Amino acid sequence: MFFQPYQISETETNLFRKIIDLIEKNNIATVIWEPQVHPYYQKIRFQITKESIFNRYTRNFINPNSKNIRHISLNLENSECRYFTDSSHVSPLCVPEIVDKLLQTAKEIPNFQ
């Protein structure tokens, strides 16, 4: 659970930025994805953070014209799987659909092999 005052660690933000820089510098085909969480938890999380942290990070750190990186939020892509083991973990029954979505996203990357 997130608590007030909520803030993201500067260390984590800097690490994410460095990872993105390394991916781009070395032309590494990468899919960055946000796992699906239960809608109830999404609602609570949004009340505290006021926006999608995943969207903020992808918007601020990933060039929309990147030839190496694609990103997908399973919370925004309307995953068909509605089985959860708890508020922040989808059921293993969802794995085939998740893998399919990630592979389809990866195929959009020009240098994906």
Side-chain angles (χ1 to χ4, degrees):
M1 180 66 77
F2 296 115
F3 296 100
Q4 296 291 354
Y6 173 77
Q7 68 185 81
I8 295 176
S9 161
E10 204 173 306
T11 302
E12 291 177 30
T13 302
N14 290 333
L15 179 60
F16 186 73
R17 184 185 326 242
K18 287 179 181 184
I19 290 168
I20 297 301
D21 291 344
L22 285 170
I23 290 168
E24 295 291 19
K25 179 182 175 186
N26 294 291
N27 295 315
I28 301 168
T30 304
V31 175
I32 296 174
W33 63 291
E34 178 182 39
Q36 182 179 356
V37 296
H38 193 278
Y40 177 77
Y41 180 61
Q42 285 183 51
K43 188 184 303 183
I44 292 171
R45 185 172 65 173
F46 190 81
Q47 289 172 352
I48 294 167
T49 63
K50 307 298 184 223
E51 68 175 311
S52 164
I53 303 304
F54 181 80
N55 287 346
R56 181 191 321 164
Y57 271 49
T58 55
R59 182 180 61 243
N60 289 343
F61 300 121
I62 300 172
N63 181 335
N65 300 315
S66 173
K67 291 181 173 41
N68 302 308
I69 301 172
R70 297 295 178 272
H71 52 86
I72 182 172
S73 169
L74 297 181
N75 292 307
L76 301 176
E77 299 299 324
N78 300 321
S79 171
E80 299 297 320
C81 195
R82 297 285 181 246
Y83 302 109
F84 294 86
T85 58
D86 59 37
S87 65
S88 60
H89 296 94
V90 299
S91 166
L93 297 171
C94 299
V95 170
E97 180 189 347
I98 292 169
V99 171
D100 182 59
K101 287 187 179 289
L102 295 177
L103 286 173
Q104 294 306 316
T105 303
K107 288 179 183 178
E108 299 172 9
I109 303 170
N111 65 341
F112 174 74
Q113 296 178 357

